[in-house]
Each structure stands twice: as C-alpha cells, then as structure tokens.
Amino acid sequence: MKPIWIIAKKEFRTFFDSLAAYIILVVFLGLSGFFTWLYGSDIFFIGQATLMPFFSVAYWTLFFFIPALTMKMLAEERKTGTLELLLTKPITDWQLIAGKFLSVMMLISVALLLTIPYYISISLLGPIDHGSVWSGYFGMLLMSAAFTSIGLFASSITNNQIVAFLIALFIGVFFLIIFDVLSSSFTGTAAYFFNYLSLSTHYESISRGVIDSKDLVYFLSITAIGLLSADSVLSKRNIVE
Amino acid sequence: MLTKRKIQTTLFLAVAIIILINVLSSRYSFRIDLTEDQRYSLSDATKDILKNLDEPLTVTSYFSEDLPPDIEKVRQDFKDLLIEYSNRSNGNVVYEFINPNEDQEVEMKAQQAGISPIMINVRDKDQVKQQKAYLGALLQLGENKEPIPFIQPGAAMEYALSSGIKKLSAKEKPVVGFLQGHGEPSLDQLIQLRQQLNVMYEERTVTLTDSTNIPFEIKTLVVIAPTDSIVERDFIFLDEFLSRGGRLLLAINNVKGNFQNATGELVNTGFSKWLSKYGITIADNFLVDAKCSSVMVQQNQGMFRMNIPVSFPYLPIISKFNEHPITKGLEAVLFPFASSITVTQKDTSIKFTTLASSSDKSSLETLPLFFDIQKQWGSQDFGMSNIPVAVAVEGKIARNSYTKMVVFSDGDFAVNGEGQQAQQLQPDNVNLMTNAIDWLSDDTGLIELRTKGVTARPLDAQLEDSTKTLVKYANFLIPIGAIILFGFARFQYKKKIRNIIKSTDYV
C-alpha cells in the first residue's frame, strides 16, 4: 500500500508543478460555472434549488478533462524509457498503475471540492435536496474512476500522448453516446444489453439521488477492467520468451 | 515465469468474473433512495399492483415540448417515475413520449383519448403569449383504456398512475353497500356520488330484515342520513359487520332545520347513542359558523317583493381540513345543519383523526332553537373555533379485527335530492364522500399516495437582481480565482526556494 501512496503523492505534486493542472482546473471550473450560473438552463433560469445543471455539464467536461490528465501518465514513461527503469525498482506494475490512478482521482476530488461553493450558495437560496446532491457527487466520482481507468489503459498501449488522448476519447464516446444510440435502435435483449453498457443510464440514475447496487457494480467493473487491461499491457515487457 | 499466455489467461479470467458479477448484480440488486421525499421509491401499493400485472401495459404520454422550465420539470419527473414502473414490473410497463403540438393529427388523437389541453403563459422574445400545452397520458391494457387528463405540477403522480393501472387491471370491482330502510335517500338521489363511484366500485343497496344480515361481499357500508329510529336488531348487525372487519361510513343528521316553522329539531335515529359505544359522540346541537352559505329571503322593497340572499350561519362552509388522504386537495364543503363531534379515546391502539372542523369564528347552539332570519350576527356570536365535524377512526374498533370508520355529523352534503328538488352539488362535497369511501375500501395503501407529491424546491423568488448578479459571478469567479491564486503563490514560493539554492555558495 505504501508504494502506491508514494507514487500517488508524487504524481499529484507533479500536476501542480506544471501548468497542466491549473489549466485543466480553470477550464473545468470555467465551463461548469458558466453553464451552471450564467448561460443556458442555468440555476436562475430553471428557478429550482438543484445542482442538476452542474451535474449534466460536469458529465461532459469530465469526459474531456480526464483523458487530458491520463494521456501522459504511462505513455511518457514508456517514451522516455523510465518504464524500463522502473523494473529495477521494488514496485510492481500494479502498484504503479494504482498510484497513478489514485493521483488522478485526487485531482478530480480537488476539482469537485472547488464546486462546493455552488452547493452552499444554492442551499442558502432555496430548499435543496441534500441527499440527491451527495449522491450526485458520488456518481461523478464513480464516473471519473471509470474514465480514469480507460485513460490509463489508452496511455499504456502507446508512447504518444496525443494518440493516448484520442484513444481514450474514442473508447469514452462508446460508453457515453454510441451504446445509448444503439440501445434505442434495437429491441429486446440487444437493447437491454446496450442500455446496460451505456454510461449515461447509470450516471443519470445516481445523479438524481438513487444509489443502486447495479450502477455501483457497473462503474466499478469498468474501472477494474480498465486497470487490469493496463496492467496486462505493461506486464508484456516482462515476458520471458 | 511470465508468458504471454499467462497474461492472457489472467486477464480473461478476471474479465469473466467481472461479467459474472454484473449478471448477478442485475438479478439481485438493492437500492437506496437518498432524496428527502423518497421521490424515486415506489410505495408497496404500487409494487403490488405492478407485480400482479401479467400483460404489457402501454403508457402513451402526451407532453408538449419547449415549455417553461417548471412545467418541463413535470415531464422529467413523470419520465423518471415511468422508468421506475418499468423496472419494477419486469418490463411490463412500456412507455413513449409524444409531443402533440407538432402534428394536428396527433393532437386530435390526444384529445380523443381524453387528454385535456391547458393554456399556459410562455415567454417568447420578451413577449408573453398563451400556448396550448398537453400534460397527460393514456394508459392501455389490452382493449381497455384509461386516460390521465392532466398531470398537475407537484401533484401526486404515483397515485394517478397506480390508480389508473389498478382500474384497468382490476378483474372485479369491490362492492359498496348503501343501507336502506330507515328513510335514507335512495341511490337515485345520489347521482353525482354514483357517477364518481361506478368507475371503481359496484353499488348495491342493503336492506336488513330479521333473516338478512349484511351480505359478505360488501366490504364497505355507507349510511347516509337515516331519518327513522333504527331498531336494535340493525345495530347488532352493524356491530357484527364491524367486528368482521367491515368498513363503515356514517353521515348522520343528528339535528335538522325545519323551514316551515323555522325551528331546529332533533332527529332520533339512535345512532348517536350507538356511536358513543365506539368513543364518538355527535352532540345534540347546531353548529353556527361565520363562514356560511346564504338563504333566499323574500323582502318587501317598496312595491316589490324581492328575493334577497341572507347569510345563514346554520349552513356552515367547512374549509379547515387536516392533512389526511380523505381531505387532500379539498377546498370547501357545505355542511347544512351540522353538529359537533367529540371523541373519547379509550384505547391507544385506536387512531382517531379529525378530518374537518369549523372556522375560527364559530359556535354551537343548543335546542330548543328558533331561527331568527333577521338576526344581525356579530363576532360575539362566534366565540368558539375548530369544532370537529368529521372524524376518521382506524384500528381494532370492534373486537379484534382491524377496521376503519368515518363519521360525518351531517348527512345531506352529498345528496342531490330527487325530481324537481334535485340540485347540483359543489364538486368538493361529492369529492369528500368519494375520498372517504376510497379510504375505507382501500387495503393496499394506494390512497396514502394521494398526499405524496413531489416537494417543490423553488429558489428564493424575492431575490433582487443585484443580489442575483452577485451570486452568479461570485460562484463563477471565486473558485477560478482561488485556483489561480494558489498556483501563483506556489510558483512564487518555488522561485524563492530556487533563488535561495542558487545564491548559496557551495564551497
């Protein structure tokens, strides 16, 4: 456990030493704030004490935001050769991936914590449903975990950051849009299958305030599959023929 | 020794296990509804109804689009609810959403299905205009159809949907009995009430003789305004009825007004004595209320005789209702010549609820009573307040079986009358009676849903524009500012450390 935590802390610090973390946080908060407070179906337009507008915007911003964070994580290690160097260290591939995963989740938590002022202001303006807000934040964390693991997997299979970013987006689009579209164009079992795979169905259910074991299992499964695949890809370089 | 094969097998096994977990989880799932009002949890009553659904039920929702956000929310809430229904019924509830404003033909279809349009104000380019909107649904089970004409924002949608489904799927209608033979109004005199009842119930008259008891298929017995004294035998039958779990509705005139000689009289039915056994007493008095209906009085105005309405406090308009499924949504009910009801609680397991009571300005008058139509009523005449006129009782009232009973201290409020004297009643008068019968007959708990609406969560409407702007920009800018400030501080700090390192002389 300790090596994971050391890697996570180191990665987390690196975010804040480069401009990357700041740009991403400012863009995330800018987009979320803009659509929650100023434009479109913002809080004052709908006149309801709810964080729904924020949750639906964050759904899309996180989709772009997370691949940008994860793209370099393994791809750069591979490119600069430090990945080979890590073989000599007393850490396993699994610890490396878990540490990096944890650091991204920490940064996302910081981003979400910075939106707590939204929650406080709205709860001062009207009777907000606290349960559904916490459930919404929880859903966002689960979704972020799924996207992060997809991003790490994408980053593990290439040594080019841009390619990693695009692959992560490509896989993400399937979960976000394509399965949803497919489910509505099929009927019966196929429709059910695609509907189950669609991330938006599960996210919507959680963000409105219902925590279902099905949704939990779904998000954790995607996270697990992503991380396991990344681990398998990394471990290939240990193959002794 | 790590081989390619080993990696592949591990990954394959792990993925297989994960898929298995997913399949299992969709079979055995649990959920926690974190919303304050349990908005996404269906009641047991609904679950029962859905479980008994063995055919697919189609819900065609006719909802207009591009409506103001508060009404748009109804559409979303309704959709969320239908998702739950669909999940709970193993996919037996199928739904679709149609926008009737798009197509004339669809609109016609919606209207034919019984969906009624409403006019709402829509802001368009800084102009307010009226737009026809549809917020309704049509339920279809096999050949049978049942419309929900209009879903009110914030109203109890689950009740509307579940009772609709129940109506469609119920194979046999429950029987409601109306006691006859003691001067009660016949079924023909209850036109409006019967119109509402016969959707859900079958009405039947009940006449008691030495050899005929109350038939067993009757679960709910309604006694409206008997005028003759009731023989002891019938009371024994009623006792038996209650102790076998029968539900009883009593609308009793304990007093009546005689317009011929302008006096108030007692109606001797024996019911008040019988009822006191169950802890309920209808007093021998007249309720007078400042909030009342009026009677037409002939007056000579110079050469003309004119009919002039005069307030008559003996015809109280009851508008104070307690929170209860029976009184949900009622505004005002006219209770001509009502009396006060008092309740003595003998047993804590029996639950008494006052359903309706008089206004803050009311009083009681005792017999003998002479109506003075010219009397100028002042506030000194109404020294009392909140006098109960309707009571609901539930629990083990008679012996050991659970039953329910509703008592009104007026018998005429839901009676239309006969022939020439028949009069149209206010809808709430009839609704009160129907709701009471619904509550009595219902064992599933469906009626409790009437009071379950979606809690409105409006933002403070009194907010000034300047405050709004402040809140908007503060929320938009403060988090961004905070992160930029933090970054700047961190870079400065790093720079300082770098400079210290640089300036140190390493000798």
Side-chain angles (χ1 to χ4, degrees), chain B residues 194-484:
Chain B
R194 289 188 57 204
Q195 269 170 4
Q196 291 199 5
L197 287 182
N198 68 38
V199 188
M200 286 279 263
Y201 306 97
E202 187 191 324
E203 303 102 46
R204 196 178 300 169
T205 55
V206 175
T207 317
L208 301 174
T209 63
D210 279 334
S211 53
T212 48
N213 200 333
I214 301 164
F216 262 93
E217 64 266 26
I218 287 174
K219 293 278 177 289
T220 307
L221 184 70
V222 179
V223 182
I224 295 179
T227 51
D228 308 336
S229 61
I230 290 160
V231 291
E232 193 56 33
R233 174 201 71 206
D234 293 359
F235 281 133
I236 292 169
F237 282 152
L238 284 180
D239 284 331
E240 279 172 9
F241 178 67
L242 280 177
S243 57
R244 72 167 200 237
R247 310 293 158 86
L248 188 61
L249 186 145
L250 297 174
I252 305 294
N253 278 332
N254 206 30
V255 289
K256 68 173 180 188
N258 188 333
F259 281 107
Q260 244 65 56
N261 51 15
T263 51
E265 294 170 357
L266 203 63
V267 182
N268 271 315
T269 57
F271 255 115
S272 50
K273 186 169 163 263
W274 179 75
L275 261 177
S276 58
K277 187 164 72 178
Y278 294 104
I280 299 169
T281 317
I282 305 180
D284 298 342
N285 54 21
F286 281 83
L287 175 72
V288 286
D289 199 315
K291 205 172 173 195
C292 61
S293 181
S294 48
V295 287
M296 299 306 261
V297 176
Q298 279 196 345
Q299 278 187 335
N300 292 323
Q301 296 265 336
M303 302 169 63
F304 303 102
R305 292 192 113 197
M306 286 169 79
N307 279 333
I308 292 177
V310 174
S311 285
F312 195 57
Y314 300 96
L315 307 177
I317 292 175
I318 304 295
S319 57
K320 267 200 172 172
F321 299 106
N322 280 338
E323 185 74 11
H324 193 275
I326 293 181
T327 50
K328 169 78 177 169
L330 295 182
E331 300 279 331
V333 177
L334 178 67
F335 260 52
F337 302 111
S339 312
S340 69
I341 298 183
T342 42
V343 163
T344 32
Q345 185 125 19
K346 289 180 200 154
D347 190 343
T348 46
S349 66
I350 297 171
K351 193 176 151 205
F352 290 93
T353 316
T354 303
L355 296 175
S357 49
S358 68
S359 75
D360 289 335
K361 283 182 179 167
S362 53
S363 185
L364 295 169
E365 296 202 351
T366 44
L367 291 156
L369 186 69
F370 180 75
F371 298 134
D372 179 8
I373 206 83
Q374 307 294 346
K375 181 175 175 181
Q376 295 297 313
W377 294 82
S379 55
Q380 74 279 357
D381 296 310
F382 303 114
M384 298 166 81
S385 63
N386 295 330
I387 302 163
V389 291
V391 176
V393 195
E394 59 183 308
K396 287 174 180 166
I397 302 167
R399 288 208 230 128
N400 272 332
S401 50
Y402 171 89
T403 183
K404 301 193 240 186
M405 180 156 73
V406 173
V407 179
F408 298 107
S409 69
D410 175 64
D412 309 314
F413 70 93
V415 182
N416 288 92
E418 211 169 12
Q420 294 290 312
Q421 265 114 50
Q423 50 177 339
Q424 187 73 18
L425 295 169
Q426 289 298 315
D428 272 357
N429 276 34
V430 187
N431 288 341
L432 178 61
M433 189 66 102
T434 323
N435 292 352
I437 292 174
D438 277 343
W439 181 71
L440 288 171
S441 315
D442 174 70
D443 277 323
T444 55
L446 186 61
I447 185 111
E448 305 288 335
L449 297 180
R450 283 174 72 101
T451 48
K452 183 186 170 187
V454 174
T455 319
R457 305 192 171 277
L459 284 184
D460 192 353
Q462 257 78 56
L463 228 52
E464 276 176 46
D465 275 352
S466 57
T467 330
K468 261 190 202 172
T469 318
L470 182 76
V471 171
K472 276 184 185 179
Y473 285 95
N475 273 293
F476 178 56
L477 294 174
I478 286 174
I480 298 178
I483 196 73
I484 292 176

Side-chain angles (χ1 to χ4, degrees), chain A residues 7 74 77-78 80-97 231-240, chain B residues 2 7:
Chain A
I7 294 169
L74 296 169
E77 301 265 12
R78 189 189 288 273
T80 54
T82 42
L83 201 59
E84 302 302 322
L85 204 65
L86 282 170
L87 278 177
T88 63
K89 302 276 179 192
I91 53 168
T92 60
D93 289 345
W94 179 247
Q95 285 167 336
L96 177 73
I97 291 170
D231 185 51
S232 310
V233 173
L234 282 199
S235 55
K236 265 191 196 155
R237 75 207 146 96
N238 291 339
I239 290 175
V240 187
Chain B
L2 199 65
I7 297 173

Side-chain angles (χ1 to χ4, degrees), chain B residues 9 12 27 35 51 93 99 101 119 124 134 140 147 160 172 197 230 232 258 283 316 326 343 365 374 378 447 454 482:
Chain B
T9 349
F12 177 77
R27 246 342 116 75
T35 53
K51 211 190 290 165
V93 173
N99 178 7
N101 293 44
M119 299 306 284
D124 186 27
Y134 291 85
Q140 246 174 305
E172 261 172 39
L197 287 182
I230 290 160
E232 193 56 33
N258 188 333
I326 293 181
V343 163
E365 296 202 351
Q374 307 294 346
I447 185 111
V454 174

Side-chain angles (χ1 to χ4, degrees), chain B residues 62 100 105-117 132 134:
Chain B
Y62 293 98
E105 213 170 293
V106 179
E107 194 174 344
M108 282 289 294
K109 223 174 162 184
Q111 289 193 354
Q112 274 165 9
I115 315 292
S116 41
K132 216 197 268 177
Y134 291 85

